[in-house]
């Protein structure tokens, strides 16, 4: 099954109108259609560029969205242009940013044109980088958790899990989170004390003492502990 179906953007009407003048009822109707489109789309017309969104199977328990939110107010930098107050949602299953089109239908934006977006109280940036330290290619949208000389990112993902036994079967969305520190131009995957100290190896002894003194173990509150570690590391860097 195709994930997306092509969306024909009505902007082609605009191109027609620029090369022809109103000669009859058809041309008059065409100009009226363009006028309606421009009125509805307004300043966001450049943003409406993508493919139609295919909804998920609602028999699956849960949802594929970030923050369990469908359309909500957000902002985005798309193709170098900032747009505020955009109705949007973030599909973690396919790593897609989806907006409400001028006609009210969901539209999947082109990933390569998205620099960053803010949604549901979180800031996301698109990262594309090869990192030997990370062991894989950094590619996609990452939530910014800490942003100073050292940076901390979270990669949010959802996948469909199917459990089958003799009595029943269950299908549901399951979320996983992976964390990366960007330090001195290198991405490091982090999840525990050892990996954090490796990412901060130039300040290893000070960070190790801080973690020990504050009983930070990255187990029950991994994300908050990673932010605390990065904040402390940044304070050492800025104290020079």
């Amino acid at each position: 099954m195709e994930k997306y179906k092509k969306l024909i953007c009505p902007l082609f009407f605009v191109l027609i109108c620029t090369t022809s003048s109103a000669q009859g009822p058809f041309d008059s109707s065409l100009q009226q259609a363009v006028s309606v489109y421009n009125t509805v789309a307004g300043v966001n017309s450049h943003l409406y560029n993508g493919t139609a969104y295919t909804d998920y199977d609602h028999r699956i328990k849960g949802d594929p969205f970030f923050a369990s939110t469908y359309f909500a107010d957000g902002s985005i930098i798309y193709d170098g242009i900032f747009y505020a107050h955009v109705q949007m949602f973030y599909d973690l299953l396919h790593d897609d940013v989806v907006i409400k089109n001028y006609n009210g239908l969901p539209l999947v934006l082109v990933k390569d044109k998205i620099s960053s977006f803010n949604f549901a109280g979180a800031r996301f940036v698109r990262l594309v980088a090869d990192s030997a330290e990370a062991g894989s290619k950094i590619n996609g949208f990452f939530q910014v958790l800490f942003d100073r000389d050292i940076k901390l990112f979270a990669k949010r993902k959802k996948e469909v899990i199917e459990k089958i036994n003799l009595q029943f079967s269950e299908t549901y969305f399951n979320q996983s989170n992976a964390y990366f520190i960007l330090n001195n131009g290198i991405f490091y995957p982090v999840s525990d004390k050892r990996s954090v100290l490796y990412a901060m190896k130039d300040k290893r002894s000070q960070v190790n003492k801080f973690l020990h003194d504050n009983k930070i173990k990255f187990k029950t509150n991994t994300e908050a502990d990673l932010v605390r570690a990065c904040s402390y590391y940044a304070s050492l860097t800025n104290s020079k």
Side-chain angles (χ1 to χ4, degrees):
M1 180 183 296
E2 263 186 34
K3 179 181 169 185
Y4 304 121
K5 56 185 177 181
K6 294 293 183 181
L7 178 73
I8 302 177
C9 180
L11 278 174
F12 77 97
F13 288 131
V14 178
L15 299 178
I16 295 175
C17 287
T18 58
T19 57
S20 63
S21 59
Q23 298 294 330
F26 175 77
D27 296 301
S28 178
S29 298
L30 191 58
Q31 287 183 335
Q32 184 177 5
V34 173
S35 177
V36 170
Y37 169 74
N38 288 333
T39 299
V40 176
V43 296
N44 287 345
S45 59
H46 182 71
L47 184 62
Y48 302 134
N49 177 17
T51 54
Y53 178 74
T54 301
D55 205 359
Y56 67 97
D57 188 340
H58 289 264
R59 292 172 296 181
I60 304 173
K61 291 185 177 180
D63 61 72
F65 309 130
F66 173 76
S68 296
T69 301
Y70 198 49
F71 282 120
D73 186 73
S75 62
I76 188 169
I77 297 178
Y78 189 70
D79 208 11
I81 301 173
F82 174 76
Y83 297 90
H85 304 299
V86 177
Q87 289 296 298
M88 60 192 294
F89 64 83
Y90 178 26
D91 182 328
L92 293 177
L93 182 65
H94 299 116
D95 203 27
D96 281 330
V97 178
V98 184
I99 67 167
K100 184 178 288 187
N101 203 358
Y102 67 93
N103 56 9
L105 297 176
L107 180 74
V108 181
L109 295 179
V110 180
K111 289 185 176 71
D112 292 351
K113 293 187 176 184
I114 301 171
S115 302
S116 63
F117 62 94
N118 291 274
F119 176 74
R123 177 185 168 221
F124 292 85
V125 295
R126 182 170 178 268
L127 300 177
V128 179
D130 289 312
S131 176
E133 296 289 350
S136 62
K137 192 172 184 178
I138 302 294
N139 195 344
F141 300 115
F142 291 75
Q143 184 179 351
V144 181
L145 300 178
F146 191 84
D147 188 9
R148 287 172 65 181
D149 292 337
I150 189 172
K151 304 179 188 301
L152 175 65
F153 302 99
K155 180 59 184 173
R156 316 288 192 191
K157 290 183 180 180
K158 283 191 179 182
E159 59 182 341
V160 176
I161 303 295
E162 185 175 11
K163 283 188 176 181
I164 302 176
N165 59 35
L166 295 176
Q167 297 172 325
F168 68 95
S169 65
E170 180 184 31
T171 307
Y172 61 94
F173 289 101
N174 181 66
Q175 181 169 331
S176 61
N177 304 302
Y179 302 100
F180 297 87
I181 283 177
L182 175 61
N183 194 11
N184 294 318
I186 299 175
F187 286 94
Y188 299 88
V190 289
S191 58
D192 54 22
K193 182 177 180 179
R194 181 178 180 181
S195 57
V196 168
L197 290 176
Y198 183 65
M200 303 176 181
K201 48 184 175 280
D202 57 323
K203 301 285 190 300
R204 181 186 178 93
S205 60
Q206 298 101 309
V207 174
N208 187 40
K209 184 177 186 305
F210 171 78
L211 299 179
H212 179 269
D213 292 346
N214 290 276
K215 298 180 173 58
I216 298 176
K217 299 181 179 179
F218 307 100
K219 291 183 178 179
T220 57
N221 298 297
T222 303
E223 194 164 300
D225 288 346
L226 287 170
V227 172
R228 290 181 69 190
C230 287
S231 180
Y232 177 72
Y233 178 92
S235 71
L236 294 176
T237 304
N238 293 334
S239 65
K240 289 181 179 180

